[in-house]
Amino acid sequence: MPQQIVKRRSRGFICVNAHPEGCRRNVERWVEGVRGKIPPGQIGPKNVLVIGASTGYGLASRIAAAWGYGAKTLGVFFERPPEGDKTATAGHYNTVAFHSLAQNDGLFAVSINGDAFSDEVKRDVVDVLRKQMAPVDLVIYSLASPKRRDPRTGQVHNSVLKPIGQAFTNRTIDLDLEKVVNVTLQPASEKEIADTVAVMGGDDWKRWMGVLLEEKLLAEGARTLAYSYIGPKTTWPIYHGGTIGQAKKDLECAAGYLDAALASKLGGNAWVSVNKAVVTQASAAIPIVPLYLSLLPLVMKKKNLDEGPLEQMRRLFTDFLCAGRPPKLDEARRLRLDDRELREDVQAEVAALWPQITTENLRTMTDFAGFQRGFCGLFGFEVEGVDYEQPTETNLHW
Ligand code: NAD
């Protein structure tokens, strides 16, 4: 395939293509954000499995483990490779960049592209681990998916982002029209709640860990983590108290169950880490969140507190997982990486700005431009240092 000039193509706000060079720059920047920035003497995991490893928090975790601690990593994700003149998805190009940088630095990496909910992918992972990596000492579960086919029943569950019990109205940004509007979300049905829990809850995490335990692929003291979000009260009806919140509660139950199993068999642990709100493909799809993510970084940057996925995951490793002592947990046994986001002074400023934002002042009173740039950046567009007029190779594979 000859090189081609890749311009951003979108359907509404959503990007439908990706720029390989922009994705590469993003991965390089994250690698630089870890290299040499780990406290000397810290010992980290050696063999790490990351499920949901191609973008967002999963990719940041994989980079932190590999470049921070020299870990061998196996990444699992669901991405579209390039086809003819059609570009791949961003997660594919991120992985191409990850492998090329890892190879340059002598880091072992294997990636498996497929449906993590399926039994086939679990079997493929078991094969790779047995032959090339075991025993695994850290498993990160970082899936964000709109649907799941349960291999036991063949049933497809679709997750929804809805409130529970009653309708919820609040302000949000209509991303297609770039207007501040009120949005009303109708409450979820019982089936929608159950389906969302089936997709984003803890069932598949337990299945993964069950397979790894059964196949004896986990190291003594092995640990596993899944990611969650709580956020400020403004977003609770749609997030923490909504369908996704129910799924996250189920994830916490799974953490309790897995913690007991790992502790008794290997002296290991399972935890949920509550992370900060960041712009990812998953979070931008949640109503209310774009307005929140146009205000939050503005306030946090002013206070020198802002973190992206890489800074969050670097802190997860340096301060919680590899600090040489048991990590600090909250009353519900969770790791709290959202402490800075939820600081009273931060939330008070966000709450004071929130009702003042209108379509007219959206660009002057919020960092909506930063949110848009961040969102385009996820697909490799509007990335500093990339010349988008230059043809680039899109048919890339790791
Ligand atoms: P993301 O969209 O950036 O990444 C999702 C990952 O899951 C990708 O690697 C994708 O390929 C993979 N994936 C999706 N479906 C898959 C499937 N069927 N099989 C294999 N891989 C699949 O999402 P993210 O925002 O990084 O979210 C990851 C986790 O972090 C989620 O549990 C999310 O709730 C949590 N979290 C996110 C935020 C936030 O603000 N983005 C905050 C706190 C917690």
Side-chain angles (χ1 to χ4, degrees):
M1 183 71 215
Q3 297 195 344
Q4 54 173 321
I5 293 174
V6 181
K7 293 277 163 150
R8 174 174 186 246
R9 284 199 300 113
S10 49
R11 197 178 312 120
F13 184 69
I14 295 298
C15 253
V16 294
N17 61 347
H19 198 285
E21 190 52 31
C23 291
R24 184 183 173 91
R25 293 288 166 116
N26 287 337
V27 174
E28 281 171 352
R29 216 182 53 243
W30 278 8
V31 167
E32 284 316 311
V34 178
R35 216 198 291 268
K37 298 207 170 72
I38 302 298
Q42 276 202 346
I43 297 168
K46 293 185 175 58
N47 296 311
V48 180
L49 168 62
V50 182
I51 303 158
S54 53
T55 56
Y57 275 124
L59 175 61
S61 310
R62 188 179 192 185
I63 290 176
W67 275 274
Y69 300 91
K72 290 182 172 183
T73 60
L74 168 52
V76 180
F77 44 77
F78 211 5
E79 300 292 346
R80 192 191 65 224
E83 208 193 320
D85 61 357
K86 254 176 87 177
T87 72
T89 48
H92 174 95
Y93 290 135
N94 290 342
T95 306
V96 170
F98 181 96
H99 275 267
S100 115
L101 296 169
Q103 195 177 13
N104 286 347
D105 289 336
L107 292 165
F108 177 95
V110 177
S111 293
I112 293 180
N113 186 19
D115 181 4
F117 297 126
S118 72
D119 289 338
E120 293 75 29
V121 164
K122 290 185 176 73
R123 270 199 301 273
D124 291 348
V125 165
V126 164
D127 266 3
V128 172
L129 291 178
R130 181 166 297 119
K131 291 185 188 132
Q132 305 183 62
M133 270 177 72
V136 173
D137 44 11
L138 179 64
V139 179
I140 303 270
Y141 189 82
S142 185
L143 287 189
S145 174
K147 61 173 191 232
R148 170 186 177 203
R149 185 180 167 280
D150 187 328
R152 292 162 300 193
T153 59
Q155 207 187 331
V156 176
H157 302 277
N158 291 296
S159 78
V160 297
L161 291 157
K162 288 190 175 182
I164 291 176
Q166 53 191 359
F168 171 59
T169 302
N170 205 326
R171 302 147 77 72
T172 191
I173 303 173
D174 180 321
L175 295 171
D176 293 345
L177 301 175
E178 301 187 9
K179 283 187 169 160
V180 178
V181 293
N182 269 338
V183 60
T184 298
L185 299 154
Q186 295 305 323
S189 66
E190 287 301 322
K191 178 173 185 312
E192 287 174 319
I193 300 171
D195 278 337
T196 306
V197 172
V199 181
M200 290 296 286
D203 184 53
D204 183 59
W205 186 25
K206 286 201 285 196
R207 297 196 78 224
W208 270 103
M209 296 311 295
V211 169
L212 298 174
L213 273 168
E214 204 177 290
E215 299 287 339
K216 303 203 180 334
L217 293 168
L218 296 174
E220 206 49 47
R223 302 191 280 187
T224 182
L225 266 87
Y227 297 148
S228 181
Y229 181 66
I230 293 180
K233 291 217 165 88
T234 345
T235 63
W236 279 14
I238 181 65
Y239 201 97
H240 187 52
T243 47
I244 183 75
Q246 284 299 310
K248 295 300 187 187
K249 281 180 195 113
D250 188 66
L251 203 63
E252 287 178 22
C253 290
Y257 169 89
L258 290 173
D259 193 70
L262 288 178
S264 71
K265 295 192 169 84
L266 300 164
N269 284 108
W271 295 300
V272 162
S273 169
V274 184
N275 301 340
K276 166 188 179 285
V278 291
V279 182
T280 65
Q281 294 185 42
S283 66
I286 306 173
I288 322 286
V289 168
L291 179 55
Y292 181 63
L293 281 175
S294 299
L295 288 171
L296 181 72
L298 194 75
V299 173
M300 290 188 75
K301 272 182 199 146
K302 213 170 63 188
K303 296 174 183 288
N304 216 3
L305 292 174
D306 200 35
E307 295 174 299
L310 192 269
E311 290 76 24
Q312 279 267 295
M313 294 300 95
R314 190 179 64 206
R315 187 152 70 91
L316 171 71
F317 279 82
T318 57
D319 293 11
F320 291 83
L321 298 180
C322 308
R325 54 175 184 270
K328 187 168 176 260
L329 305 175
D330 72 4
E331 71 295 344
R333 293 193 58 263
R334 300 170 298 210
L335 280 65
R336 300 302 295 261
L337 271 292
D338 60 345
D339 50 343
R340 297 176 187 173
E341 171 183 356
L342 292 188
R343 254 174 52 166
E344 245 173 65
D345 57 329
V346 169
Q347 286 304 325
E349 280 193 42
V350 173
L353 287 166
W354 189 271
Q356 300 180 47
I357 308 306
T358 61
T359 302
E360 290 66 39
N361 64 24
L362 180 63
R363 290 193 176 273
T364 50
M365 283 190 65
T366 78
D367 190 17
F368 181 50
F371 172 81
Q372 286 180 308
R373 222 176 19 256
F375 188 74
C376 288
L378 300 174
F379 303 87
F381 295 103
E382 294 190 36
V383 175
E384 227 181 278
V386 178
D387 182 351
Y388 291 98
E389 301 305 324
Q390 288 302 316
T392 184
E393 179 59 62
T394 55
N395 191 19
L396 297 172
H397 301 271
W398 62 87

